[in-house]
Amino acid sequence: MQHHVFSTTAGLPPVLYALIDVLISPVLPDRPVQMTRDYHSIIIVTSGEGTLECGGTSSPINAGIIVMSPPGASVRLACTGDHEMRLWLIRYRIIPLQEHPPPAEAPVEHSSIYAFPGTEAILALVREMDRLKSLGQLHDPLAGTRLLYEMLHQLAQCRQRHEAAQQADAAERIRGYLEQHYRHKIDKERLAAVAGRSRKALPGLFRQAFGQSISEYTNALRIRRAQELMLGSGRKLSEIAQAVGYKDEFYLSKTFKRKTGLSPTVYIKRAKSFATLDHAYTLDFVALGVSPLVAMADTWLERSYPHLLKSGSCHAIDWSWSRPARYALLEQMAPDVIVYAEQEGDDLDRLRRISPVVQIPWQGVDWREHFRIVSELAGHLSQAEAWLVRFEERAAEAREELTKLLQPDETVGILNIRAEGMILYSSGYMGADLLYHTLGLTRPAIVSQHNNDGKEWREVALDDLAVIDPSHLIIAIESSTAGHTRAKRTMQDPLWSTLSSVRQGRAYPVEMMKWYGYGPAAIEAQLEELLLLLQQKKQVSPSLFDMDNVFPR
């Protein structure tokens, strides 16, 4: 057996590592293996799964797990399921040099059982040890023991990565708990249980991960939530204080000013920058002439409002942006307020770490009320009310024009052709609110029944469309290759030519993004386009329809 000096870290006393043996050890179903050795062991599970029992605790293990066991430790390995568990067993000794005391630190902890994921590189070292053993060269100078040193070095790196990941996960669990319970007094015992760490370890663990104490982070959460309630709830300051976990409005005001540099009153009145994370909110802002710092937009919006959405201060994004990319841009732009849909989840928690988030509800709120909420948030409520008055006047004029363009018994349908199928709208999106609610146009009978059942849309096949057969048909086609392909295939079907709207030149192509918009800027554009289409009777040819020209992608 060869001994070789290994210095763990510069300045630490050297020790000797001596490789004893390497072997394959199967663990069979219903035949647990008990290990109590007088040497150090490395156990590497290569296949199967089972349990590791030591010191009264049991942990699951499976392929890829590495277990380090010190001398004298009693380890019981048991197989679960009907298949055996196979593992490598490497045995070695640590021998301190007589002229030096034992090292104060080692690259891998040898005083207790430790299990963590390994790497293919470590398995390669074991296989090389086994090859040397088969040749009778395992204990040759600088042979097996050299491989042991390299293995211990890699194990140290594996363990450090594993511990760092565990620390980060524990810190993230603490943060998640604080984000859900910041309104209440934080129970440190409960927090320790959530993290799986001792109370003593919590402060350092959290500060290392997030750069601030648990108390500082909790206060930041409370102030952030207070900002959101000040902007979007209309509550009194005393109510907000209670809602975020402060005893009264005086303590909230004092803490708020210390954290933000502003009193609550000044904060509420101060002009703010915005980020909008839905097309509907962007439509509200552009109707007010406001350019958000970050705006969820589509190709129609960008073409229609380049002075607002393509200016140097605005960054227009779309749904193809990944969440991490959105977060990075928002952190860079640092808007005062993020306008977001009314929903919970990880996305909301992540956004709140960047800026206050004002959530605007969808259920039971139409686009006009949305517009008022956003305009009040932006400090432009009077401007929004004036816009709505002008729009209602224009809608009244349009209703008068429509009596001359449509017969009383004529119906209007809205067909949306997408890659995955076709949809007829009865209310809400895709121009349905404008046609049926604002202008009072007549739905086809089946669509009207669907609306009475409280449904905004229904999927249809071409056969269904032939039965519904609206007098006029607005056709919004998804601006994608697959959407265009489905539309062309549908319009080349002989049944398409039998539709009343197609035969009489009353089928009208429109841009989907414009007509999908559910906000003032889009609704206004839909109104003007509708009148133009009906006046010109611009129709869709079933055979010559060129969607690449009609609908820019």
Side-chain angles (χ1 to χ4, degrees), residues 280-500:
Y281 308 135
T282 303
L283 290 166
D284 293 329
F285 277 97
V286 297
L288 295 169
V290 176
S291 178
L293 289 181
V294 177
M296 185 66 72
D298 52 48
T299 53
W300 175 79
L301 259 172
E302 291 189 51
R303 288 198 317 273
S304 302
Y305 295 90
H307 59 295
L308 295 175
L309 299 180
K310 291 189 175 181
S311 66
S313 61
C314 179
H315 288 70
I317 63 175
D318 58 40
W319 291 113
S320 68
W321 281 54
S322 66
R323 284 187 177 183
R326 289 183 224 168
Y327 301 149
L329 178 60
L330 288 167
E331 287 175 336
Q332 176 189 343
M333 301 306 296
D336 294 321
V337 182
I338 297 172
V339 184
Y340 185 70
E342 189 180 44
Q343 59 190 53
E344 301 296 324
D346 294 341
D347 195 32
L348 175 60
D349 293 338
R350 182 65 182 84
L351 292 172
R352 279 177 164 163
R353 295 169 198 161
I354 300 171
S355 296
V357 177
V358 173
Q359 295 178 274
I360 300 178
W362 287 107
Q363 295 297 324
V365 181
D366 69 5
W367 67 268
R368 293 170 178 81
E369 187 59 27
H370 265 266
F371 189 30
R372 290 188 176 97
I373 294 171
V374 169
S375 62
E376 185 173 16
L377 180 65
H380 296 289
L381 182 57
S382 60
Q383 183 179 340
E385 294 293 357
W387 190 100
L388 289 168
V389 169
R390 290 194 301 272
F391 176 79
E392 294 304 332
E393 291 172 350
R394 180 64 180 121
E397 295 172 357
R399 285 192 291 271
E400 182 65 26
E401 290 183 55
L402 288 169
T403 62
K404 303 172 185 177
L405 296 171
L406 299 175
Q407 297 299 315
D409 61 343
E410 289 182 344
T411 61
V412 181
I414 307 169
L415 179 67
N416 181 206
I417 303 179
R418 303 189 180 203
E420 63 272 17
M422 300 194 298
I423 296 172
L424 268 179
Y425 279 82
S426 57
S427 62
Y429 285 84
M430 208 58 70
D433 185 272
L434 172 71
L435 268 62
Y436 305 133
H437 177 67
T438 300
L439 300 178
L441 300 183
T442 303
R443 301 176 178 89
I446 295 177
V447 176
S448 182
Q449 181 58 52
H450 201 72
N451 180 67
N452 293 338
D453 293 339
K455 298 177 180 178
E456 294 185 351
W457 53 270
R458 59 168 290 177
E459 294 184 16
V460 293
L462 188 52
D463 291 347
D464 302 318
L465 193 59
V467 173
I468 297 170
D469 201 23
S471 309
H472 298 259
L473 186 61
I474 294 170
I475 309 163
I477 301 174
E478 180 181 279
S479 183
S480 69
T481 299
H484 287 198
T485 299
R486 177 177 286 276
K488 289 178 179 179
R489 187 168 64 246
T490 300
M491 293 175 185
Q492 289 167 357
D493 190 301
L495 187 56
W496 176 264
S497 300
T498 68
L499 299 178
S500 298

Side-chain angles (χ1 to χ4, degrees), residues 6-10 12-15 17 68 92 94 103-111 114 116 148-161 163:
F6 175 67
S7 181
T8 59
T9 306
L12 291 178
V15 295
Y17 286 90
M68 301 195 70
Y92 65 99
I94 298 179
E105 180 182 340
V108 180
E109 177 63 55
H110 292 285
S111 61
Y114 200 85
F116 50 92
L148 174 65
Y149 285 4
E150 176 61 26
M151 180 181 295
L152 291 172
H153 175 68
Q154 291 198 26
L155 286 173
Q157 294 179 324
C158 284
R159 176 172 171 178
Q160 288 167 1
R161 289 193 296 268
E163 286 184 332

